Amino acid sequence: MESKLGSGFLRCHRSFLVNERKIRSVNMPDMMVTLENGDRVPMSRSGRAALKNALKSMEGEAR
């Protein structure tokens, strides 16, 4: 599924793939991602690293 969706989606946990544009907030200490619709999605340790990299690249694009 991940390869079919292409870029713009992030695996934050083995069981969860999220649309980067729908992320409202990230709570690193609690390892949770909150989406625009209010859903909270857990983050794995490897997903946390991937999310940090994605957020850094999104900040760079916003500048």
Side-chain angles (χ1 to χ4, degrees), residues 10-55:
L10 177 72
R11 180 162 302 281
C12 61
H13 188 278
R14 181 172 47 155
S15 302
F16 293 93
L17 200 59
V18 297
N19 184 333
E20 292 175 354
R21 292 176 281 166
K22 300 296 182 178
I23 296 173
R24 179 190 305 160
S25 65
V26 177
N27 186 321
M28 290 295 185
D30 290 341
M31 296 184 70
M32 294 296 289
V33 175
T34 303
L35 303 175
E36 286 181 353
N37 66 0
D39 287 347
R40 291 176 42 133
V41 179
M43 227 184 330
S44 64
R45 286 187 299 257
S46 60
R48 181 178 171 172
L51 186 57
K52 279 184 178 181
N53 290 334
L55 291 173

